[in-house]
Amino acid sequence: AREQGVAPRSPPGGRAPAPRVHGPSVNSSLSFMLSAQSEDQTVPKIQFDFVQLADLARQEKDTTCDVIGVVQDHGVVSEITAKATQKQIKKRELTIADRSQYQVRVTLWGRQAENWDENNASIVALKGAKVGDFGGRTLSVSGQTVVSIDPDIDAAHELQGW
C-alpha cells in the first residue's frame, strides 16, 4: 500500500515501478479526433489540367495526363493473361471523345473494369491517365489514376451540351 507523499519502494533488482499516467485514455482521445475530423466537411477538390484528345500525339509515351471526354462506347469486360505474372486480368476498353473531334481508347483494369456502370456514365474525367501507343495513342487507368464520372465541373457541363 502506498502512503501519500512517500515514493514507492524499489523491488529487489533495483527497478522502480513505472509511474501511472493520468489523463485521457486512448479511447477518449481517439473519439475526440474522430469527432473533430467529422465536423470538417470540406473535401479538397481535384485540380485537373486537361489535355485535348487531339493533342495526345504530342504527349510522351508512358507519361501521365488529365483528360475529359464523352463516353462513346463502354466496351465489354474481357480477360487477358499478363506477360510478367501469367495471371488472368480483367479489362474494359472505353472510347471517349471531346470537342477536338478526336476519340481515344481508355483501358480500365481489374475491379474498375468489372464495376464500371454503363448506365450512369456519360462524361468521364481522368487525372493521371497513362499515355500509351498501342495502335495509336491510348490511355490506361492505373491505381494512381483518379476516375471522376460525370464530375460537377465547367468542362463537363460544356461537354454535356455538345
Side-chain angles (χ1 to χ4, degrees):
R2 290 178 50 190
E3 295 177 43
Q4 189 130 357
V6 177
R9 284 189 254 166
S10 295
R15 290 185 74 156
R20 290 195 89 206
V21 176
H22 298 284
S25 69
V26 171
N27 288 340
S28 65
S29 63
L30 179 62
S31 64
F32 169 75
M33 287 189 294
L34 292 175
S35 65
Q37 185 138 12
S38 64
E39 288 172 17
D40 182 16
Q41 297 298 321
T42 59
V43 177
K45 291 202 173 201
I46 300 167
Q47 297 296 315
F48 292 96
D49 185 17
F50 292 124
V51 172
Q52 291 276 320
L53 298 181
D55 295 333
L56 282 177
R58 294 188 203 123
Q59 299 288 317
E60 294 277 328
K61 181 182 180 286
D62 296 328
T63 61
T64 61
C65 65
D66 303 349
V67 297
I68 188 167
V70 177
V71 180
Q72 302 285 300
D73 182 24
H74 294 275
V76 295
V77 176
S78 61
E79 280 192 2
I80 64 164
T81 303
K83 291 178 189 173
T85 62
Q86 295 301 308
K87 290 185 180 178
Q88 294 291 109
I89 301 173
K90 296 196 186 281
K91 77 174 207 171
R92 175 189 297 260
E93 287 189 350
L94 309 176
T95 302
I96 65 170
D98 69 4
R99 287 181 172 265
S100 69
Q101 304 296 318
Y102 277 75
Q103 292 183 338
V104 67
R105 283 179 295 142
V106 177
T107 305
L108 303 176
W109 300 98
R111 287 195 182 126
Q112 283 183 318
E114 292 176 282
N115 297 335
W116 181 258
D117 187 353
E118 303 175 10
N119 301 314
N120 289 326
S122 59
I123 306 287
V124 64
L126 305 172
K127 177 156 192 71
K130 184 176 178 184
V131 178
D133 64 357
F134 186 74
R137 279 294 186 244
T138 58
L139 295 171
S140 184
V141 172
S142 71
Q144 285 72 42
T145 307
V146 176
V147 178
S148 185
I149 298 167
D150 294 325
D152 188 14
I153 57 176
D154 290 341
H157 298 300
E158 290 170 15
L159 281 175
Q160 283 174 332
W162 174 58

